[in-house]
Amino acid sequence: MEKPFRFIENKMTRREEFNVTEGRQPTFALFYLKEGSFRLRIGESETVIGAGDCAVFADDVDFTRSVITPISFIYLKFAQNPRCPFTLPLPTGKVVFQDAARFLANINRYEQLIDAADPRSLYYREHALEDILMQISAEYRGEREGETLEGLADCHDPLVRRAVSLIRERICEKLTLTALCRALSTNPSTLNFKFRRELALSVGAYITAERMRVACRLLESTTFAVSDIAARCGYENIYYFSTVFHGYHGLSPTAYRRLRRG
């Protein structure tokens, strides 16, 4: 079976400042700081990565970073392997390990083998790097077991899951693709591609589907007026809401409520 990650480059290096201080990585990347510190901003979140800290960068998330004190670090470039039959979600930004001993054991093993060239040592070195990523993914998924999003059991892309969560939080707003991408520090083409791959829907189609899901729930479980339900689902115009609803369900909102409530 194909492995979930493909390694592109791994090395130890030192920087007074990053060559690229803003933008996005061409591939996924992991940084483990041995010395120094740098400031990292992803979206609205800003943190300081210091000695002993680890940070993950995704290939579809914009960042800003700047060195505070000169840094030496282990740098790993990798990619999700499209030939693997499953994907492992990874967080972005600073990573705090629950099992620090496991992580440090793998980092130490990697450092001991960093200059090795024989096949056996290369195998052990790659295994250490692979286990680091497996641990990051496992702990990340574990943290979110209580946050499982309804209907997304088979969706493992972290960007799509963040987008879905944001859509559901802001379903009563006039949420546009541009505003959603701005909030997620991504672009429409990337987000649409990932939505179609994971959910078989464009972002716009998913937003409409989610509005209709909320509308049905409110029609079934509340006595809110249809105009109030339209507003709660992000529609300013009740007539447009009714048109979309009828096209989606083959019934007007009123007829749907009457049918579902007997």
Side-chain angles (χ1 to χ4, degrees):
M1 180 185 293
E2 292 280 346
K3 296 181 178 180
F5 302 109
R6 179 172 55 86
F7 296 109
I8 300 169
E9 180 183 9
N10 57 86
K11 62 182 179 180
M12 188 177 295
T13 190
R14 182 176 177 82
R15 290 281 188 274
E16 299 289 326
E17 182 54 275
F18 290 105
N19 293 332
V20 177
T21 57
E22 61 181 322
R24 64 180 59 182
Q25 291 283 145
T27 66
F28 281 81
L30 179 146
F31 287 74
Y32 173 66
L33 253 64
K34 300 286 291 180
E35 299 174 346
S37 60
F38 68 92
R39 184 171 289 103
L40 174 64
R41 183 178 183 84
I42 296 177
E44 300 300 316
S45 176
E46 183 173 307
T47 189
V48 172
I49 311 297
D53 289 337
C54 181
V56 174
F57 293 81
D59 61 357
D60 57 6
V61 177
D62 293 318
F63 64 80
T64 302
R65 62 190 180 189
S66 59
V67 171
I68 300 171
T69 56
I71 55 176
S72 62
F73 57 96
I74 291 171
Y75 175 50
L76 172 64
K77 289 173 64 177
F78 62 98
Q80 299 275 2
N81 183 358
R83 298 178 65 182
C84 183
F86 61 90
T87 59
L88 293 178
L90 293 170
T92 55
K94 187 174 182 177
V95 176
V96 178
F97 290 95
Q98 298 171 22
D99 186 352
R102 174 182 170 184
F103 170 70
L104 290 173
N106 280 316
I107 281 291
N108 290 336
R109 185 178 297 114
Y110 167 80
E111 290 190 67
Q112 292 166 5
L113 300 172
I114 193 169
D115 295 320
D118 62 285
R120 178 176 296 181
S121 295
L122 292 176
Y123 170 81
Y124 284 125
R125 187 175 72 192
E126 182 166 305
H127 178 73
L129 295 175
E130 187 174 65
D131 195 55
I132 288 172
L133 297 181
M134 295 287 283
Q135 179 184 356
I136 291 173
S137 179
E139 292 186 353
Y140 174 66
R141 283 179 292 154
E143 288 174 0
R144 280 155 176 74
E145 279 185 353
E147 303 173 17
T148 301
L149 293 170
E150 180 185 350
L152 295 185
D154 296 325
C155 174
H156 302 297
D157 190 294
L159 179 63
V160 174
R161 295 180 71 85
R162 292 202 309 274
V164 168
S165 181
L166 191 60
I167 289 167
R168 293 182 179 181
E169 288 173 8
R170 301 185 181 180
I171 200 64
C172 64
E173 302 175 15
K174 190 177 181 181
L175 187 61
T176 65
L177 177 59
T178 300
L180 187 62
C181 288
R182 188 181 303 115
L184 295 167
S185 299
T186 187
N187 60 75
S189 60
T190 295
L191 195 59
N192 264 317
F193 170 77
K194 288 177 175 275
F195 261 71
R196 290 185 184 280
R197 184 185 65 190
E198 296 289 326
L199 305 177
L201 291 171
S202 68
V203 177
Y206 181 84
I207 291 174
T208 300
E210 184 63 17
R211 294 193 197 282
M212 294 298 101
R213 184 184 72 84
V214 173
C216 288
R217 177 172 58 80
L218 293 174
L219 286 166
E220 293 172 25
S221 62
T222 75
T223 58
F224 295 152
V226 173
S227 58
D228 290 335
I229 291 175
R232 289 170 184 266
C233 294
Y235 293 96
E236 296 176 353
N237 188 310
I238 185 176
Y239 300 107
Y240 180 61
F241 166 71
S242 296
T243 299
V244 174
F245 191 94
H246 192 282
Y248 218 81
H249 295 288
L251 294 168
S252 69
T254 301
Y256 178 90
R257 169 177 270 169
R258 187 183 306 117
L259 177 67
R260 298 295 291 185
R261 301 180 78 173

